[in-house]
Amino acid sequence: MLKKVVEPIPAKNFSSSSMTRNHHFRSRALYTRWVVLTLLACAYTVQANPIMAQQPGKLNTPIKPPLLAQRRAETAYTLGPGDRIRLDVFNVPEYSGEFQVLVDGTINLPIIGSLPVEGLTLEGASDNISNQYARFLKRPLVTVSLLAPRPLKIGVSGEVSRPGSYTVSLAESRQFPTVTQAIQLAGGTTQAANIRSVEILRRGQEKPIYVNLVDVLQKGDLSQDITLRDGDTVFLPTAVYTNGTDGSIIASSTLAAQTAGSKVAVVGEVSRPGTYLLKAEPTGPNSTVRPPTLTQAILLAGGFTPSANTRQIQVRRLTRNGPPQVFNVNLLQLLQSGDVAQDILLQEGDTVLIPTRTDVNAAESRTIASSTLATQTSGPIKVDLVGEVFRPGTYAIKPQAAGANGGGSPPTLTDAIQTAGGIKPTADIRTIRVRRFTRTGNEQVIDVNLWQLLQGDVAQDLSLQEGDIISVPVAKQMDPKEAEALAMASFAPNEMVVNIVGEVTRPGPVKVPPNTPLNQALLAAGGFNIRARKTVVSLVRLNPDGTVTERNVNVDFSQGIGSETNPVLHNNDTIVVRRSGLTAVTDTLGTILSPVGAFFSIFNFFR
């Protein structure tokens, strides 16, 4: 409480009966002047020697900057309409009493009449009233005290939930509201607020007061949470650059907007684009809630499609002032390294855009497909397979391992090839192409190398989505060793067909496992019959380039698998088992003698 003290001595008193009292007043005035001069001398000494004012053991200890900042920000209370004050004029009780500051900012005083005090501090009002009473009293000693402060009107604007004007009554608490209390009155801050540079605009001051509420929330620096005055305006600017840290600080504090849910739009490469109401999550027993996150919105929209570009997700946010904010988020960092700062908090009206990838990275696709953010497919998806598969066409491919919610991971490229009967031996598995239509209507072409899959790169097993077209080209040339590896792949047929013609027990097509050697195929056909040439057979093979090769193979059932005597067969190979030399001579002789036999048969008939 600020007080102005001045000695009161009546200026004139012409009554002879009061001379004794005037003499008494003069004696007390001399004593009062001596006391005042002594106090002034002490104050001057302390000011001139600041070390003397410090406590022992703390000499030359500087005042901390936060305290200096607080003193600069915490300005004195100024009077205004509605304030109730107490005026004490020393030894003049008839001029003392309680007064109300009227709507025009004045008070009515004895003798003086109407006197304006609006905008004055208590000290300033004391000086003004003393000057007015100096016309009637000699050195009047006046004290002004605040009995009942008026309700304060405070403006809160910028990035708060409910900007506007608020009235704060001080009748009960008798404590002035702070910046954080004003923000809470306005419903809390939005996620777009820059709480590091909050502005307080105060009447009578040209420059705004800046406070950093992050210091209040993180360090407990209450000097930043200054008290407000009537007519103050608290402005929360929009953050130019945002980071997940500030958003988390706001969300976990009492400054966050307390909402039951937020409507956000999720568009682009998600399974179910649209507008969703995201529910806020409670964070503690005090009923505070945490705003929804980006991953919550994506999961509610069905998860990423395989074409989603998770590196360049955009969140567009409407602000209270100026153009909307645009945040670029890399959720791949969250999936790969656990960077939870990328999972930013959302607010009412946000739009989440999941763009389409222009280039496909198989490793990234595998990371997304194995995460909870991938599309959870509840039913089969339709894809087309053309080219070097055994049964080209359109297929409904079932999702992989269904979860507790009935959904599962999208089917993969090898799932589709297996459903189409498997890959042909003539297929070029290095240049398989998947054509896909994105949400924007554009066609995306993805090249896949399944040979790398056979070398251990599981990322090449691309996740599929509805409407994909898979094209498997013909290989221009094939390495025999690669053909053997391909035949044993999971996306190759479980069995192959080999044609065995000629002198075997059961000639015709024979189904055998992949990479079956020649000797085993001959045995599967029942082995040689008595007419067969058992030392050499012919192997006829259709090459990927459309040519046909034939070579003779020396048969030796005692030998293991080898390229010369017991080669590994390919699908649709043909083995020709020819007649032995004796069988050929006998068959030729039988052909020559068959007319003679027919003649004797006719002769015997007539006989």
Side-chain angles (χ1 to χ4, degrees):
M1 182 180 296
L2 299 176
K3 298 181 180 180
K4 179 65 177 180
V5 180
V6 182
E7 286 184 299
I9 298 179
K12 296 180 180 180
N13 193 335
F14 298 98
S15 175
S16 59
S17 61
S18 61
M19 292 180 62
T20 303
R21 187 175 66 179
N22 290 340
H23 177 74
H24 175 71
F25 283 165
R26 283 195 293 270
S27 299
R28 293 193 61 180
L30 291 174
Y31 176 78
T32 303
R33 276 200 295 265
W34 180 82
V35 171
V36 171
L37 290 174
T38 301
L39 293 176
L40 290 176
C42 293
Y44 176 80
T45 303
V46 171
Q47 183 177 5
N49 299 278
I51 296 179
M52 295 177 61
Q54 299 176 4
Q55 299 178 1
K58 295 184 179 181
L59 299 180
N60 298 324
T61 302
I63 299 177
K64 295 182 179 180
L67 296 178
L68 292 175
Q70 184 178 15
R71 291 176 182 176
R72 288 194 297 267
E74 300 286 6
T75 57
Y77 181 80
T78 57
L79 297 173
D83 283 334
R84 189 166 185 81
I85 62 175
R86 170 73 188 181
L87 179 64
D88 289 305
V89 182
F90 184 69
N91 275 339
V92 189
E94 58 269 25
Y95 295 167
S96 305
E98 297 181 1
F99 300 92
Q100 185 86 24
V101 181
L102 304 179
V103 293
D104 60 353
T106 64
I107 55 175
N108 287 319
L109 300 177
I111 302 178
I112 297 175
S114 179
L115 181 67
V117 294
E118 182 178 8
L120 297 178
T121 64
L122 297 179
E123 183 180 10
S126 298
D127 291 340
N128 195 13
I129 295 172
S130 296
N131 293 334
Q132 295 297 322
Y133 273 121
R135 296 181 297 167
F136 308 101
L137 302 173
K138 187 176 182 181
R139 290 189 296 276
L141 197 140
V142 177
T143 302
V144 177
S145 305
L146 181 65
L147 294 179
R150 66 189 181 280
L152 304 185
K153 283 189 176 181
I154 299 172
V156 186
S157 61
E159 294 297 334
V160 291
S161 296
R162 299 187 301 272
S165 177
Y166 293 88
T167 301
V168 181
S169 176
L170 305 180
E172 296 181 359
S173 64
R174 298 186 61 82
Q175 293 182 351
F176 293 96
T178 63
V179 176
T180 56
Q181 291 173 340
I183 293 173
Q184 290 171 343
L185 282 177
T189 68
T190 67
Q191 287 295 311
N194 179 9
I195 62 173
R196 295 180 180 270
S197 183
V198 180
E199 298 180 12
I200 293 90
L201 306 176
R202 182 160 292 174
R203 289 185 300 187
Q205 293 189 10
E206 296 181 358
K207 295 182 179 181
I209 303 169
Y210 293 95
V211 295
N212 184 352
L213 294 185
V214 173
D215 288 345
V216 178
L217 300 178
Q218 285 191 321
K219 304 175 183 178
D221 184 4
L222 296 180
S223 66
Q224 298 292 328
D225 192 17
I226 67 172
T227 57
L228 300 178
R229 302 289 182 263
D230 186 43
D232 282 357
T233 297
V234 179
F235 174 68
L236 277 81
T238 303
V240 179
Y241 303 101
T242 60
N243 56 72
T245 303
D246 282 4
S248 298
I249 292 173
I250 295 174
S252 59
S253 72
T254 56
L255 297 183
Q258 302 297 305
T259 58
S262 304
K263 280 187 177 180
V264 300
V266 186
V267 296
E269 294 297 337
V270 288
S271 295
R272 299 186 300 272
T275 302
Y276 293 90
L277 177 62
L278 303 179
K279 295 182 179 180
E281 296 180 347
T283 58
N286 56 353
S287 300
T288 58
V289 294
R290 180 181 178 86
T293 62
L294 175 60
T295 54
Q296 286 179 268
I298 293 171
L299 288 173
L300 200 58
F304 291 128
T305 68
S307 299
N309 183 358
T310 58
R311 289 180 177 270
Q312 296 179 342
I313 297 174
Q314 286 188 349
V315 178
R316 298 174 181 174
R317 176 169 297 164
L318 299 177
T319 61
R320 299 289 183 184
N321 307 282
Q325 289 180 325
V326 178
F327 312 125
N328 293 319
V329 183
N330 186 350
L331 277 188
L332 190 63
Q333 289 185 9
L334 173 64
L335 300 178
Q336 290 181 332
S337 59
D339 184 6
V340 293
Q342 299 296 325
D343 192 13
I344 67 172
L345 301 172
L346 302 180
Q347 71 177 38
E348 180 76 17
D350 280 354
T351 299
V352 180
L353 173 63
I354 315 296
T356 304
R357 287 186 296 187
T358 55
D359 57 336
V360 178
N361 184 297
E364 292 182 9
S365 300
R366 191 71 179 181
T367 301
I368 297 171
S370 60
S371 72
T372 57
L373 297 181
T375 299
Q376 299 299 306
T377 307
S378 57
I381 63 172
K382 288 185 178 181
V383 298
D384 295 328
L385 288 97
V386 296
E388 294 302 298
V389 290
F390 279 95
R391 295 190 301 273
T394 301
Y395 291 90
I397 314 298
K398 295 181 180 180
Q400 295 182 343
N405 59 355
S409 301
T412 63
L413 176 61
T414 57
D415 293 334
I417 293 175
Q418 287 174 340
T419 305
I423 205 85
K424 286 185 176 181
T426 56
D428 182 3
I429 62 172
R430 297 177 185 269
T431 58
I432 294 177
R433 179 162 291 182
V434 178
R435 293 180 354 190
R436 175 176 295 166
F437 289 96
T438 64
R439 294 291 183 185
T440 58
N442 298 323
E443 185 181 61
Q444 187 181 41
V445 178
I446 308 168
D447 292 323
V448 182
N449 187 344
L450 286 187
W451 180 253
Q452 292 182 6
L453 174 64
L454 298 180
Q455 308 307 310
D457 185 7
V458 294
Q460 296 295 327
D461 196 7
L462 185 71
S463 296
L464 301 179
Q465 70 180 40
E466 183 77 18
D468 280 353
I469 302 173
I470 304 168
S471 177
V472 183
V474 178
K476 296 181 179 179
Q477 59 182 1
M478 181 71 70
D479 188 333
K481 292 184 178 180
E482 291 188 8
E484 294 177 9
L486 177 60
M488 297 302 296
S490 61
F491 48 88
N494 294 327
E495 58 185 11
M496 64 180 184
V497 177
V498 177
N499 300 303
I500 303 178
V501 298
E503 303 301 331
V504 290
T505 303
R506 293 186 299 273
V510 177
K511 292 182 179 180
V512 294
N515 288 337
T516 297
L518 184 141
N519 290 347
Q520 187 175 344
L522 290 174
L523 294 175
F528 296 123
N529 58 25
I530 59 174
R531 296 166 47 85
R533 182 182 179 184
K534 300 179 180 180
T535 56
V536 178
V537 297
S538 295
L539 177 61
V540 180
R541 175 169 295 169
L542 176 66
N543 297 316
D545 58 1
T547 61
V548 177
T549 58
E550 180 180 1
R551 70 184 179 103
N552 292 328
V553 179
N554 296 320
V555 179
D556 186 353
F557 286 102
S558 63
Q559 297 294 323
I561 299 176
S563 60
E564 296 297 330
T565 60
N566 191 19
V568 173
L569 300 180
H570 295 175
N571 191 59
N572 286 331
D573 278 355
T574 300
I575 301 173
V576 180
V577 181
R578 304 186 186 279
R579 297 171 295 175
S580 64
L582 178 60
T583 303
V585 172
T586 303
D587 289 345
T588 302
L589 182 60
T591 302
I592 295 174
L593 296 178
S594 60
V596 177
F599 172 77
F600 283 108
S601 297
I602 296 174
F603 176 78
N604 291 334
F605 173 77
F606 286 104
R607 185 178 178 183

